[in-house]
Amino acid sequence: MDYKEDDELLKKENAAEEFVYDEEAAEDYEANQVFMTPGQMVFRRFMRNRLAVVGICAIVFMFLFCFVGPFFSPYSETELFYKTDIDEHPDAELIYYRTKAVQRGDMKFTVYYDMHTGEECDTVPTNIILDTRAKPSKDHILGTTEMGQDMFTRLMYGGRISLMLGFVVVFVELLIGVTMGGIAGYYGGKVDMIIMRMVEIFQSIPFIPLMLIISSLLISFKVSPRDKIYYTMFIMGVIYWAGVARMVRGSVLSVREQEYMQAAEATGIRTSRKIFKHMIPNIMPIIIVMATMDLGGVILMESTMSYLGIGVGAPYASWGNMVSSVNNAIVMRNCPYLWIPPGICILITVMAFNFIGDGLRDAFDPKMKR
Amino acid sequence: MISEKDRKEQLKAIKKENARRYREYNRNKNKKVAESTYLTEMKDDSNLLEIEDLHTCFYTDIGTVRAVDGVTFNIPKGKTVGVVGESGCGKSVTSLSVMRLLQEPQGQISFGSIRFNSKDGKPVDIAKASIKAMEKIRSREISMIFQEPMTTLNPVLTIGKQIDEVLELHTDLKKNERYQKVCDLISMVGISNADRIYKMYPHELSGGMRQRIVIAMSLACDPQLIIADEPTTALDVTIQAQILELMRDLKDKISASIMLITHDLGVVAEMADIVVVMYAGRIIELGTTRDIFKDPRHPYTIGLMKSRPNMIGEDEKLYSIPGNVPNPINLPNHCYFKNRCESCIGKCNNPYPGLVSISDTHKVACWRFIEEEAK
Amino acid sequence: MSEKEKTLELIDLKKYYPIKKGVLQKVVGHVKAVDGVSFHINKGETFGLVGESGCGKSTIGKTIIRLTPPTAGQALYKGTDIFSLDKKSLRTLRPHVQMIFQDPYSSLNPKMPVGEIIGEAVREHGIVSDKDYREYVMNIMKICGLRPYHIDRYPHEFSGGQRQRICIARSIALNPDLVIADEPVSALDVSIQAQIINLMKDIQQRNGISYLFISHDLSVVEYISDVVGVMYLGSLVELAPKKELFKHPAHPYTQALLSAVPVPDPDVKMNRVLLQGDIPSPVNPPSGCKFHTRCPYAKPICSEVTPEFKEHAPGHKCACHLYNDGSWV
């Protein structure tokens, strides 16, 4: 065959020189292999998890709905709507507003004041009243709330608060938790002992009673509803750091035992570099997963608190206090449009965050699969 | 370097192909397999296991890995076959294919047959057998010894309980008969004081003792074939010597065949009757122990023997095979060892060489010997 | 022998791990991981330390570079005691004494590109100027048989052998005088082992590095070492120049270790000195000679008196009662 000639040719060529390992050929071959960066690998594994992708879609949708949606809404968050036939006087006004009749010129007006803060909400002629708990219609897609505001618009604004609160609380808890957990795990010994006892103390504080007390304190100090939201975020973050710290400490301890940390120690690099370049990138996956899972938890906690009336209060909307409008069986039966939409929003968001968290955990740690 | 765009496209194509395979697998998973489809005839009745043209593939994100690529060899009754090769050469995957313990659907037997001469005289093709049939074969007829004795044993059960469990599942022995059998097994692997060991937990034993227990467990149902996957790699040299001694003793006592998978040429030389040398998923040389160690033909086998530091104590440079094991994805269609081979000839650019016989028992896959044959 | 410059001298190194029990964490005993080991490494030479798992050989390596604090003893690096250094002077010493770890998979930070792994400490210690930094790293990588384009890749893309090359590159990038290699090849395949050992030898010839080569594999140690020490349960039982040790292994344990290595030759049926039983626990080591429980030549005296570690021939030390009557050949 042909290759016999080839063979002889090659033999002649190679006769004089010794065998040389063809590094270049091997190199070309290696350089042309398909490879993936670590980020790509995580992304690929994440995208393979269908539930997680659904979760991402749901969260993106919620964000668009809450942060972009309001720009397309013709109404504002606290705008009140009225109706002109005055057969009955709704109870809601007595619960949510203090009213005062005033005479301006030859017309009689009713001034609405907020029950809690005493701020003036609106002044309307006395012959019209608030349009509360209106059924869904062309003007109000999901009807109106029991305070006479547009349900759909408030749902969007409520989502803003709920989501923002979730992110801020998680940020605060991570800030404190990662620092404290990192210090405890890295230095060990007495520092570890003290921080871990603190964690235990924080974890044994009953959260809801504490919030009840704080909430009533805030009211008695006449803190405005807006500031109350900020206080709530901060307090939740401060109380939730303990769980994060415990988790971070555990993973720092396991990373610290890895040989590459010992190698870093042996090369004599600075402690700060060891922590920020070697330690943190390797516990990052755990932190990210934990943060995602906690987002759902915080949003759920916020709705619990708002439902109990100690979280976000009127006039601001949050999904939690919107659900709390169902405070008796009659509303529940007759006005499902008041509580089902915010309830569904909470359900979808919390579930989506949990799906994403699960997906991320599997993506970061392929050994956990199946 | 290939461009970023090409790379993305390739990855996409791979993803599509994998999705198709997974779907197909899931469709067939729950189908019932009729007995007739996996009953076969042995080519030679003196063989216990005949592996013919076995292909096992792993469908990964960055391409299909042909972990086992057309492997053919036989395990005769009562003989020990040593499978040698470096990590990633497919020796462990071969054994997992025989046990059908691959992580499906990522890893699948894509082609070939594994004929097993089972106890009841009906040869079974393991590659096609149903899950139920496999459950019967595993541990009753084929058992496995793993590398890490600590993870093989369940830390919360006593030693006796664990062996007893195997017997309870696969035999009809009564409780006291089983106890007697367990004690016999424990003393068979060279542990005195079986009664005391029976009640101990794995963590109370040393590594060597644990490996003995694992061996006892694998012998529990009188299997016909024992697959030992690196049985001594995790052990110290002096303990390894003890375990090898024990296995040699047992080999004479029981009639089972052993498939010994290891990277250590020394262990194979001491234990095996027949040696299979694998490289990048293929068999490159096959023969009796004497063939392989006294007259190695394939450049890779020769290189492996030379690169082992031997205790002669010369100060020259230690021989080493240049380069690395090739990436198992997209292997070129010529001898995989070509780039690292010192005695490479022009013909090596031709497609992958098949196995050629040098003697009755000795086969090698190298173009240099195909030429010799032709002459 | 004593005229040669000693890079490292260990004097009676001890490392005990306390065993704590009960609510009050009372110390009830000690694991004597290393129990009085002395040896020295000459400049440019390799000291091979052999022993089975749990004999304390890795602990010695880690103690020398102060990854764990010693219980007693001294480690003189060119005359200065490493154990008495304060934190600051320890950091300046770090680049001179480097370590290569056993597992090339866990000893590389998975989140760092290769160039950074190798060059990080070079920059930290200011070994080269910032201008020459990248070139310096490239050069080190070339010496260790890595390709230039590897510099931006991550460890997970490399095979075990290549990873171990990265580890070696990381340690020699700091121009050390002493490298402690803790089982550097035992996780690798045979053909790759040979490559790595050759690489380490090349580097030694080039830079005049001393190695403390810790391994359980006698054949590897035999190839690379100049002097070999055999350890059993925390103490040295035999120490000799390589050729001497492999020609005339004196201690029964060394003999057993040598004969236990399987030989790739079906015709050689060795007269094995097969040891019985397992290695005793270092918590309660046997009395007298620690090896007497497994020793085929054990005499009554062995279980009572600890044998002296004494020099029987020039440079050949052994701790065994067999040679006390002058039966040394």
Side-chain angles (χ1 to χ4, degrees), chain C residues 288-300:
Chain C
C289 173
K290 285 173 186 167
F291 186 58
H292 81 259
T293 50
R294 299 172 79 193
C295 183
Y297 313 112
K299 294 185 289 188

Side-chain angles (χ1 to χ4, degrees), chain B residues 78-341:
Chain B
K79 295 273 188 202
T80 303
V81 175
V83 182
V84 214
E86 296 181 284
S87 52
C89 74
K91 53 190 195 300
S92 285
V93 178
T94 309
S95 70
L96 290 176
S97 304
V98 172
M99 290 292 271
R100 281 282 295 276
L101 285 174
L102 295 163
Q103 201 197 28
E104 290 172 338
Q106 281 89 353
Q108 292 176 26
I109 299 175
S110 57
F111 188 76
S113 53
I114 306 167
R115 291 185 292 273
F116 179 71
N117 208 345
S118 92
K119 265 181 206 168
D120 50 15
K122 281 193 229 160
V124 173
D125 186 351
I126 289 176
K128 296 196 187 77
S130 63
I131 294 168
K132 247 198 175 146
M134 255 345 274
E135 267 164 16
K136 248 185 211 167
I137 289 174
R138 268 182 225 144
S139 96
R140 210 175 285 188
E141 307 214 17
I142 307 178
S143 65
M144 200 152 178
I145 302 168
F146 291 95
Q147 176 174 354
E148 198 57 68
M150 192 62 218
T151 47
T152 318
L153 295 171
N154 184 343
V156 296
L157 289 180
T158 59
I159 298 293
K161 192 95 204 225
Q162 293 189 48
I163 306 178
D164 187 82
E165 212 172 45
V166 180
L167 290 172
E168 196 180 346
L169 251 150
H170 295 287
T171 60
D172 329 313
L173 294 174
K174 297 230 173 54
K175 206 170 173 195
N176 48 352
E177 285 170 337
R178 286 207 304 268
Y179 179 81
Q180 197 47 49
K181 177 102 199 237
V182 171
C183 291
D184 287 351
L185 281 167
I186 293 175
S187 41
M188 194 165 155
V189 291
I191 302 175
S192 51
N193 220 340
D195 286 354
R196 204 164 57 88
I197 299 288
Y198 189 96
K199 293 190 192 75
M200 277 167 121
Y201 287 91
H203 70 93
E204 294 173 86
L205 303 175
S206 65
M209 292 282 257
R210 270 184 233 137
Q211 196 61 299
R212 281 169 195 266
I213 297 295
V214 172
I215 293 173
M217 239 164 117
S218 73
L219 296 175
C221 299
D222 302 315
Q224 297 208 68
L225 176 64
I226 299 168
I227 299 176
D229 191 352
E230 307 264 8
T232 57
T233 312
L235 305 174
D236 283 315
V237 210
T238 54
I239 310 295
Q240 169 175 310
Q242 289 175 8
I243 297 288
L244 289 181
E245 187 75 29
L246 167 73
M247 283 178 70
R248 227 165 329 171
D249 270 6
L250 288 175
K251 209 172 101 180
D252 301 335
K253 271 188 216 161
I254 56 172
S255 57
S257 307
I258 301 175
M259 178 171 162
L260 178 72
I261 293 160
T262 179
H263 67 275
D264 191 333
L265 289 168
V267 172
V268 174
E270 291 200 5
M271 292 289 302
D273 302 307
I274 296 165
V275 180
V276 175
V277 187
M278 284 182 75
Y279 183 76
R282 298 213 185 200
I283 294 179
I284 53 149
E285 195 164 0
L286 183 156
T288 60
T289 313
R290 187 163 285 275
D291 288 336
I292 299 287
F293 285 95
K294 289 290 167 190
D295 183 24
R297 290 299 182 91
H298 197 285
Y300 175 68
T301 320
I302 299 170
L304 264 190
M305 306 251 181
K306 270 206 272 179
S307 60
R308 224 186 113 86
N310 49 6
M311 309 260 200
I312 302 160
E314 297 307 317
D315 260 352
E316 1 160 344
K317 211 165 168 164
L318 189 57
Y319 175 81
S320 70
I321 306 173
N324 286 307
V325 180
N327 187 327
I329 295 166
N330 301 330
L331 282 167
N333 188 19
H334 54 65
C335 174
Y336 302 150
F337 192 61
K338 197 190 105 189
N339 291 337
R340 305 173 71 187
C341 184

Side-chain angles (χ1 to χ4, degrees), chain A residues 207-220:
Chain A
F207 180 70
I208 288 182
L210 180 79
M211 281 315 287
L212 278 169
I213 296 165
I214 289 172
S215 172
S216 56
L217 277 178
L218 289 178
I219 289 169
S220 66

Side-chain angles (χ1 to χ4, degrees), chain C residues 173-194:
Chain C
L174 297 170
N175 287 325
D177 293 313
L178 172 67
V179 172
I180 296 165
D182 188 358
E183 308 245 17
V185 295
S186 56
L188 305 176
D189 283 318
V190 190
S191 73
I192 308 297
Q193 267 186 15

Side-chain angles (χ1 to χ4, degrees), chain A residues 254-265:
Chain A
S254 73
V255 168
R256 208 175 64 159
E257 290 307 308
Q258 295 286 319
E259 271 184 355
Y260 58 81
M261 285 309 291
Q262 295 189 8
E265 170 80 40

Side-chain angles (χ1 to χ4, degrees), chain A residues 265-286:
Chain A
E265 170 80 40
T267 49
I269 57 170
R270 266 175 286 134
T271 311
S272 60
R273 224 188 133 73
K274 253 186 312 194
I275 294 175
F276 288 109
K277 286 280 168 181
H278 291 264
M279 192 85 98
I280 302 276
N282 283 298
I283 56 171
M284 214 53 196
I286 295 158

Side-chain angles (χ1 to χ4, degrees), chain C:
Chain C
M1 194 146 165
S2 53
E3 290 123 49
K4 281 186 193 161
E5 196 187 330
K6 289 175 186 171
T7 305
L8 181 84
E9 186 166 14
L10 275 191
I11 302 168
D12 205 22
L13 175 69
K14 283 181 185 161
K15 173 69 192 172
Y16 295 170
Y17 291 101
I19 307 165
K20 289 172 180 170
K21 253 192 187 156
V23 192
L24 295 171
Q25 294 289 292
K26 220 173 105 188
V27 178
V28 291
H30 286 98
V31 178
K32 296 181 179 176
V34 181
D35 197 8
V37 169
S38 313
F39 62 83
H40 64 88
I41 305 172
N42 292 330
K43 189 173 162 39
E45 285 190 355
T46 304
F47 186 92
L49 199 56
V50 200
E52 294 180 282
S53 55
C55 73
K57 56 191 193 305
S58 290
T59 312
I60 289 186
K62 281 188 181 154
T63 320
I64 291 173
I65 58 166
R66 294 242 324 238
L67 284 180
T68 49
T71 308
Q74 280 181 310
L76 302 176
Y77 169 75
K78 293 188 174 166
T80 45
D81 185 6
I82 298 177
F83 297 157
S84 63
L85 292 176
D86 60 8
K87 247 189 172 166
K88 215 174 150 197
S89 25
L90 183 66
R91 245 197 87 195
T92 50
L93 180 94
R94 284 275 188 227
H96 301 292
V97 184
Q98 276 302 305
M99 187 149 181
I100 300 169
F101 292 89
Q102 170 177 9
D103 184 0
Y105 290 88
S106 73
S107 59
L108 296 176
N109 185 347
K111 300 278 153 63
M112 244 189 201
V114 169
E116 188 64 19
I117 291 175
I118 298 169
E120 187 187 24
V122 175
R123 223 170 20 208
E124 278 286 303
H125 293 287
I127 288 171
V128 289
S129 64
D130 278 0
K131 192 163 56 97
D132 304 331
Y133 165 71
R134 204 174 159 88
E135 205 175 310
Y136 180 80
V137 172
M138 290 274 198
N139 190 30
I140 293 285
M141 283 173 69
K142 200 177 153 209
I143 292 170
C144 295
L146 295 163
R147 310 266 129 242
Y149 63 85
H150 284 153
I151 197 165
D152 293 321
R153 293 204 172 174
Y154 285 85
H156 75 95
E157 289 166 38
F158 293 89
S159 64
Q162 282 173 314
R163 279 159 177 261
Q164 203 57 288
R165 284 172 192 274
I166 299 170
C167 293
I168 292 173
R170 170 172 60 193
S171 61
I172 66 157
L174 297 170
N175 287 325
D177 293 313
L178 172 67
V179 172
I180 296 165
D182 188 358
E183 308 245 17
V185 295
S186 56
L188 305 176
D189 283 318
V190 190
S191 73
I192 308 297
Q193 267 186 15
Q195 289 177 8
I196 296 294
I197 293 171
N198 282 337
L199 174 68
M200 287 181 70
K201 270 201 133 172
D202 284 349
I203 291 168
Q204 182 169 44
Q205 273 158 19
R206 188 194 203 105
N207 301 8
I209 299 175
S210 311
Y211 286 126
L212 171 59
F213 194 97
I214 300 167
S215 178
H216 68 273
D217 191 342
L218 268 172
S219 49
V220 173
V221 167
E222 190 267 345
Y223 182 74
I224 198 168
S225 309
D226 298 298
V227 183
V228 178
V230 181
M231 274 187 87
Y232 188 75
L233 274 183
S235 2
L236 279 173
V237 293
E238 191 165 1
L239 187 152
K242 169 181 76 182
K243 280 198 178 138
E244 170 78 12
L245 185 92
F246 284 89
K247 258 185 213 145
H248 309 291
H251 199 280
Y253 180 61
T254 317
Q255 291 167 3
L257 265 188
L258 277 171
S259 77
V261 179
V263 182
D265 186 342
D267 284 349
V268 177
K269 289 280 172 248
M270 282 192 117
N271 292 329
R272 278 246 163 90
V273 185
L274 201 65
L275 291 181
Q276 294 306 313
D278 287 306
I279 307 165
S281 144
V283 183
N284 278 317
S287 59
C289 173
K290 285 173 186 167
F291 186 58
H292 81 259
T293 50
R294 299 172 79 193
C295 183
Y297 313 112
K299 294 185 289 188
I301 185 177
C302 293
S303 56
E304 287 153 20
V305 185
T306 310
E308 211 182 318
F309 191 51
K310 64 181 177 191
E311 196 157 353
H312 290 277
H316 194 158
K317 290 181 182 176
C318 177
C320 186
H321 287 299
L322 284 179
Y323 305 104
N324 278 354
D325 48 4
S327 61
W328 186 272
V329 226

